[in-house]
Amino acid sequence: MDLKKFIRDIPDFPKKGIIFKDITTLLKDKIALKEALEQLFSKVSGLNVDKVVAIEARGFIFGSLLAERLNAGFVPVRKPGKLPAEKISESYQLEYGIDSLEIHTDAIKKGDKVLIHDDLLATGGTVQAVCKMVEKLGGEIIGILFLIELDFLKGREKLKNYPVYTIIHYESE
Ligand code: AMP
């Protein structure tokens, strides 16, 4: 099944020059949703994961489904001001701007084996910030899993120290 057929390109969203990969068209299709989850799971089913750390908001969708499948816990990384308890934060450069992310300090225990998940790898800045926070809290990153990778932005080069898995690649815009 070609999952690319279910992903919709939205030109100039949220800013001029960005071609936004809209996954709502994949999520609403029950067959494509199941297939995407199966393909994602097959990349990491051999890993012994304690926590799936997923990035707000689109990372939460498959992140929580995967956590359940992997018998792991689920940890949300959120945008500033959303998490209620003690937290740390990290700033990062996005394909379209600068932002920061937060995680609860008690979300990761020292030595926890962590799988990080987000919907899409572009420049890699977002997930790099998440790696920093997970390692600050003593987590061991055993994999980073994406639904989509924009290969031409070379985000993978920022993640050389980790195993990176992706199921849908775009070699050019
Ligand atoms: P980056 O930090 O550049 O790797 O950007 C990755 C984050 O931004 C992910 O959370 C994506 O959801 C979002 N993102 C960046 N570029 C796009 C795009 N072209 N289409 C959809 N989401 C994107």
Side-chain angles (χ1 to χ4, degrees):
M1 182 176 202
D2 183 8
L3 290 174
K4 263 190 193 169
K5 287 195 187 125
F6 293 89
I7 294 166
R8 174 164 62 181
D9 279 1
I10 310 284
D12 299 324
F13 183 87
K15 264 192 170 178
K16 208 165 172 38
I18 304 290
I19 301 174
F20 191 84
K21 298 292 180 200
D22 179 17
I23 62 166
T24 62
T25 36
L26 181 151
L27 298 171
K28 74 176 180 183
D29 185 286
K30 63 184 179 187
I31 313 281
L33 175 67
K34 208 180 265 291
E35 175 67 19
L37 180 62
E38 289 305 331
Q39 289 191 23
L40 285 166
F41 181 67
S42 74
K43 295 276 185 199
V44 293
S45 58
L47 301 180
N48 193 3
V49 179
D50 295 310
K51 308 258 169 69
V52 175
V53 171
I55 305 167
E56 182 175 358
R58 290 184 298 278
F60 291 177
I61 300 161
F62 287 108
S64 52
L65 293 170
L66 283 164
E68 195 278 334
R69 279 268 190 118
L70 289 162
N71 274 318
F74 176 84
V75 172
V77 167
R78 299 212 59 186
K79 297 189 175 137
K82 303 282 188 189
L83 289 173
E86 193 189 313
K87 62 217 165 187
I88 57 169
S89 70
E90 195 70 48
S91 295
Y92 64 100
Q93 185 91 38
L94 196 68
E95 196 186 353
Y96 38 82
I98 283 183
D99 216 337
S100 63
L101 287 169
E102 298 183 338
I103 189 170
H104 275 148
T105 48
D106 65 358
I108 308 284
K109 284 203 313 277
K110 208 171 160 35
D112 269 349
K113 295 198 185 323
V114 170
L115 173 71
I116 296 174
H117 168 70
D118 201 4
D119 67 323
L120 183 144
L121 173 62
T123 66
T126 307
V127 83
Q128 199 177 31
V130 175
C131 290
K132 279 190 198 154
M133 290 194 289
V134 167
E135 287 178 340
K136 234 180 238 176
L137 297 176
E140 184 196 340
I141 298 163
I142 58 168
I144 308 177
L145 177 65
F146 299 97
L147 183 70
I148 301 169
E149 179 170 351
L150 306 183
D151 299 20
F152 52 94
L153 293 175
K154 301 190 172 21
R156 197 175 267 262
E157 287 178 5
K158 290 204 181 83
L159 309 173
K160 275 191 184 124
N161 295 337
Y162 314 105
V164 175
Y165 311 96
T166 304
I167 62 166
I168 304 167
H169 290 269
Y170 290 87
E171 272 107 50
S172 62
E173 277 190 295

